[in-house]
Amino acid sequence: MMRELWKRKKMLGFKKFDSLLSPPIEGQLSSDLFVNEQVLQNSFHNCSDFMIRTVSVTEKTKILFIYLDGLTDSKTLDEVLLKPLLLEVSPNELESVFTLKQMIEQKILAASSIKSVSKVNELVNCVLKGNIGILLDGEPSAIIAGMQKNEQRNIEEPQTEVSIRGPRDGFTESLKTNLSLLRRRIRSIRLKFESFTIGELSQTDVTMAYIEGIAPDSLLREVRKRVEQIQIDGVLESGFIEEFIEDVPFSPFPQIQNTERPDIVSANLLEGKIAIIVDNTPFVLILPMTFWSGLQAVEDYYERFLYTSFVRVIRYILFNIALFLPSVYVALTTYHPQLIPTSLLISVAAAREGVPFPAFIEAFIMEIVFEGLREAGIRLPKAVGSAVSIVGALVIGQAAVQAGIVSAPMVIVVATTGIASFAIPRYNLGTAVRMIRFIMLVLAGVFGFYGIVVGFIALTIHLVNLRSFGVPYFSPVAPQIWTNLKDVLIRPPRWKTNNRPALISGKDKKRIPAHQKPGPKRS
């Protein structure tokens, strides 16, 4: 090795040789295979998973294979490339380097993804993604073969978005698998995938999916601009992207929807929205998002519209209960007892007779305990998480009532509020409701109903002024769009949804031709 190094130095000159061994990362590959090997070893210094394999095809011709152990399928490398090259190719076919390169690219290498690179940084980035780099003696370029090891989780039903009716497949951590799940549902050349690489160190693959002609051009330009402006060292999950591109970072309400379900993403793409798929995470971002889409469940569009409309009305009622019930109870019992019927007031007063805390402090303590039980149930292992949360709530509630620390009506109010919050389909919207519930509770404890009214007005003003990529968050209610209002409070029949959402879709606004109402034919 040292003799070879000394010979090369004398032949090329010491300064020139040293400059070749430490080129800039954007530098070109050398035609000297030995120099390229030293450059790559310097680049992957202290990387124990970096593998170099040198193969002598003839006395004059050598080939260098570089890859990362664990990311590259070494078994495929042996069977697809090394075995044919060493055992099945005659030496007479390998008299020149050009012939060898052409033979590897066109005859020997049985890989679907092959390309050629000439810069050091391009070669390094390709190897870091699990590809194999092939360098030939006398060639100032490298062949890149896609032989990544595809170790991934199987396609399973999403655990965070369980549905009674609908597909059971969910996204995985593999970007290619996720794209294929979307392509299986929308088999059109109008479905486009634009790729980005984000993260200086992670080099994470990010794909923007949309349907050409349905997604508005202005929205596409805005999303491209925001994604391309992201400068970060690493992207580990789609939440990293979400925080960089949302409109109002300090709003408690989510402005970008996330989901594990390919059918939800496909349905939103057909409405003109855009999806952002990030490698190594099953959660896909959908934008823009409105307030009403956060209250729509996946079954809303699979069950018959009569059932769905009834359940959706119930869901809106439960949403208001989750947001206002504790604060209304505190305001009534503390400042406005005259609004409570006499018989109910006597019952509540009797239950609160031995409680040492005001209603506001009592409600605040119970809400904190309930949130603690909910968080503990999420963080604990599945085998004991649900049991701890249920048993803990029963034991603590019963013991607190018997000890006279809290009243039984307060336990009922907090439990009803918690059940109502579980009916919100989107976890991030439910979290926003939980945060605002504490604010409403404080306003009710200080000002009574006046505080609740002021908080409701401030909340409404915030929601009306909020935007998600230029789309009003409260649309189609504010601004009011009559043609889209029918899919807010209730779910209309499928044959009545003739047009796509007006503020989201692009040129192609027609979804279903008119006059498709089913019924018996009249003779």
Side-chain angles (χ1 to χ4, degrees), residues 107 141 143 325 471:
K107 296 184 179 181
S141 62
I143 302 172
L325 182 59
V471 177

Side-chain angles (χ1 to χ4, degrees), residues 12 26 44 52 58 95 109 123 168 192 195 197 206 260 270 307 340-341 345 372 381 394 419 428 511:
L12 295 174
E26 296 84 6
F44 287 93
I52 294 182
T58 64
E95 294 179 355
L109 188 55
L123 175 59
R168 300 299 182 187
K192 307 297 182 182
S195 298
T197 301
V206 178
E260 288 186 84
L270 291 170
Y307 309 151
I340 305 176
L345 179 61
L394 293 174
I419 293 172
N428 47 11
R511 174 186 285 167

Side-chain angles (χ1 to χ4, degrees), residues 290-432:
T290 63
F291 174 79
W292 310 105
S293 62
L295 291 172
Q296 295 172 356
V298 62
E299 294 97 338
D300 289 2
Y301 298 93
Y302 295 148
E303 291 288 355
R304 296 183 65 230
F305 67 94
L306 291 175
Y307 309 151
T308 299
S309 299
F310 170 75
V311 173
R312 187 175 286 185
V313 172
I314 297 297
R315 192 181 299 138
Y316 287 154
I317 295 174
L318 293 175
F319 175 85
N320 286 281
I321 290 175
L323 186 58
F324 294 110
L325 182 59
S327 55
V328 169
Y329 175 80
V330 169
L332 286 173
T333 56
T334 305
Y335 294 98
H336 314 283
Q338 67 275 11
L339 298 178
I340 305 176
T342 304
S343 57
L344 179 60
L345 179 61
I346 293 173
S347 176
V348 172
R352 287 188 42 79
E353 185 176 1
V355 177
F357 303 111
F360 165 67
I361 300 298
E362 184 184 2
F364 196 84
I365 293 174
M366 288 300 296
E367 285 290 341
I368 291 293
V369 171
F370 187 86
E371 292 298 327
L373 288 171
R374 185 206 300 256
E375 192 68 16
I378 295 174
R379 304 304 163 201
L380 287 172
K382 292 182 180 179
V384 297
S386 58
V388 168
S389 59
I390 295 173
V391 174
L394 293 174
V395 172
I396 292 176
Q398 183 68 23
V401 172
Q402 291 182 351
I405 299 176
V406 297
S407 62
M410 181 58 71
V411 174
I412 296 173
V413 167
V414 172
T416 305
T417 304
I419 293 172
S421 65
F422 288 136
I424 300 175
R426 302 292 163 200
Y427 177 78
N428 47 11
L429 182 61
T431 305

